[in-house]
Amino acid sequence: MELHTETARKSRILHVLYYIKRQVSKVKLWLLVKLGFVKKVLIQPYAGYGNGKEIYLAGRVLADRNIQASTPDDRFWMNFGKMRRRFFSIVFPGVHLEAEFEGKTIQVTSDEEGYFEVRMTLDSGLLPEGWHPIRLRLLHDLLGRETEVVALGEVYFPAADTDFGIISDIDDTILTTGAMRLWEMLKVTFGQNAHTRVPFAGVSEFYDALRRGDDRILSNPIFYVSSSPWNLYDFLMEFLDIHHIPKGPLMLRDLGLSRDQWIAGPHREHKLKQIEHILEVFAELRFILIGDSGQEDPTIYHEIIRKFPGRILTVYIRDVSGADLSLLARDYLEKGVELVLVKDTLEAAKHALGKGWILASDQPKIKDQKREDENERG
């Protein structure tokens, strides 16, 4: 009873604080637009995905903060300034947009934090493998300048004869973030950029090998599900591109006070929801899951295995914490899935080769790139 009362009290406080925040945000937005501080409105589409029946794409409507691509020579304060602008964004709630894909259009509306979702049923069936454009257009003249605001997003369609899919975490799986150590995480997030942040050694070649599978064709789809905030979307996509890590839809989460969360929504619930949606959309596909031992990936993936029996081929966990996962590994095996705890990318590649998921010719490439990455890191 006391716990229920305390939960109800916290919920009431949260609702009051969120109401105050929304009113302040409305006044701030009105003043910034009225005084001319907002020069341009931006539609930021996030990479989406689809099958033969539907497509899914998310995005956000916000003020264009003119964040330019980074360079290897950018210094601390330039990196800090760009990251600060990413987090202190000005968003436009309640804005109507039109989405056009393959000749079909629908209208959607941004929510109180400026986010929108496009969920569209398809009439044309499965499209060719690859990225397909979706056109987004604002139906409001938000700044009173009669300027059309449009953006082109991308929706990924896997090939019809895909062998398997890959779902990967990002933080401490692809790149070091220090997610378990707050000060280290803040230092690397705000002080470095997509060039100076480096991936774990050998990641790009290993993920490329998984994308090819055993037929040398880059057709196995890859999805990234992370608890990083959407504010880092452009940074993470730039990071993947610079370091030649295969591109894929990137599913992040909202950060900040909202109707039902204080700072950030539950890490576990977010990842479960996104992974479950991917498995439901691609119901005929089996997946390899990749994560790390630093947070909850092993238990989250265990829950996925329980909910989707027979759908998971294996789970690779990068050991960044030294956690004892032996009991959990036994539970995995009882459900017919191996939990493979690895200290580096090469160990995961050796296991994948033994299962026939990558080619023997890929292993020397992964090994060479691992050595090159380690030398670059010093």
Side-chain angles (χ1 to χ4, degrees):
M1 184 66 179
E2 289 182 4
L3 180 61
H4 176 75
T5 302
E6 179 65 15
T7 301
R9 186 182 70 84
K10 288 181 178 179
S11 180
R12 287 194 297 271
I13 293 172
L14 177 60
H15 288 166
V16 170
L17 291 176
Y18 184 67
Y19 174 79
I20 294 171
K21 174 197 168 183
R22 290 301 316 143
Q23 301 312 306
V24 171
S25 295
K26 287 178 183 178
V27 172
K28 183 178 76 171
L29 178 60
W30 181 83
L31 282 173
L32 290 172
V33 171
K34 198 74 174 175
L35 297 174
F37 288 107
V38 178
K39 305 295 183 183
K40 188 178 179 182
V41 179
L42 173 72
I43 304 173
Q44 184 178 46
Y46 307 132
Y49 53 88
N51 57 19
K53 299 177 182 178
E54 63 179 333
I55 64 168
Y56 170 81
L57 177 137
R60 202 175 193 188
V61 183
L62 64 167
D64 188 352
R65 305 301 299 274
N66 193 31
I67 301 173
Q68 302 297 318
S70 61
T71 74
D73 298 325
D74 288 352
R75 298 300 180 223
F76 173 86
W77 287 112
M78 186 173 291
N79 296 328
F80 182 87
K82 289 179 182 179
M83 198 59 69
R84 180 187 60 79
R85 280 179 281 166
R86 288 186 176 102
F87 279 94
F88 290 92
S89 52
I90 300 167
V91 303
F92 290 85
V95 176
H96 300 306
L97 303 93
E98 178 186 78
E100 180 183 353
F101 184 79
E102 293 290 310
K104 186 174 183 177
T105 62
I106 63 168
Q107 290 187 15
V108 296
T109 305
S110 63
D111 67 13
E112 293 173 323
E113 300 299 327
Y115 294 103
F116 63 87
E117 289 186 347
V118 175
R119 296 175 184 264
M120 183 188 294
T121 56
L122 299 181
D123 304 320
S124 53
L126 187 65
L127 296 175
E129 189 274 337
W131 295 92
H132 296 263
I134 178 170
R135 186 176 186 269
L136 302 162
R137 180 172 67 92
L138 285 190
L139 300 179
H140 291 265
D141 181 11
L142 297 175
L143 302 182
R145 298 171 184 170
E146 298 184 357
T147 302
E148 187 176 50
V149 178
V150 298
L152 280 181
E154 293 182 300
V155 179
Y156 181 76
F157 280 75
D161 56 349
T162 295
D163 299 320
F164 54 81
I166 306 105
I167 298 175
S168 175
D169 183 33
I170 293 177
D171 301 336
D172 289 324
T173 299
I174 291 178
L175 77 163
T176 304
T177 62
M180 297 181 293
R181 300 173 298 278
L182 180 60
W183 172 246
E184 182 179 340
M185 181 177 67
L186 292 173
K187 186 171 63 174
V188 298
T189 298
F190 283 88
Q192 298 182 19
N193 63 45
H195 288 272
T196 55
R197 297 283 295 275
V198 292
F200 281 106
V203 163
S204 65
E205 281 291 350
F206 178 50
Y207 280 32
D208 246 4
L210 289 173
R211 285 270 286 122
R212 285 192 296 270
D214 62 0
D215 58 9
R216 299 182 182 276
I217 300 172
L218 284 169
S219 59
N220 296 334
I222 187 165
F223 303 85
Y224 299 98
V225 178
S226 169
S227 291
S228 291
W230 281 115
N231 309 69
L232 294 178
Y233 177 81
D234 66 312
F235 160 77
L236 290 173
M237 292 300 281
E238 184 184 8
F239 175 87
L240 295 178
D241 180 57
I242 287 170
H243 297 285
H244 309 293
I245 299 171
K247 179 181 175 181
L250 186 59
M251 315 309 296
L252 307 178
R253 64 172 172 170
D254 187 26
L255 181 70
L257 187 71
S258 73
R259 289 183 183 277
D260 53 10
Q261 69 183 40
W262 291 90
I263 299 298
H267 164 80
R268 181 185 180 87
E269 290 180 16
H270 161 72
K271 296 193 80 168
L272 280 172
K273 177 183 176 182
Q274 297 299 338
I275 295 172
E276 287 171 6
H277 187 249
I278 293 169
L279 267 67
E280 288 164 358
V281 170
F282 304 103
E284 305 302 318
L285 201 56
R286 300 179 75 189
F287 282 85
I288 292 171
L289 306 182
I290 307 176
D292 66 88
S293 63
Q295 293 181 305
E296 298 180 79
D297 289 348
T299 55
I300 291 170
Y301 293 167
H302 184 260
E303 181 69 10
I304 291 295
I305 292 166
R306 187 189 67 79
K307 289 185 176 182
F308 296 86
R311 296 290 306 283
I312 306 304
L313 289 169
T314 200
V315 172
Y316 292 118
I317 295 294
R318 185 181 294 278
D319 185 8
V320 297
S321 66
D324 182 4
L325 300 178
S326 56
L327 289 177
L328 188 60
R330 284 202 288 271
D331 287 341
Y332 267 67
L333 285 177
E334 288 176 3
K335 294 177 174 59
V337 179
E338 189 176 0
L339 187 158
V340 184
L341 190 65
V342 299
K343 70 176 185 296
D344 60 24
T345 307
L346 199 55
E347 283 191 6
K350 288 177 181 177
H351 181 273
L353 176 61
K355 293 293 185 179
W357 297 328
I358 66 174
L359 296 170
S361 57
D362 290 322
Q363 196 168 19
K365 298 176 185 176
I366 297 169
K367 188 174 182 179
D368 289 344
Q369 197 221 359
K370 179 177 180 292
R371 186 184 303 112
E372 182 181 325
D373 288 345
E374 288 171 342
N375 291 337
E376 182 181 339
R377 190 177 290 121

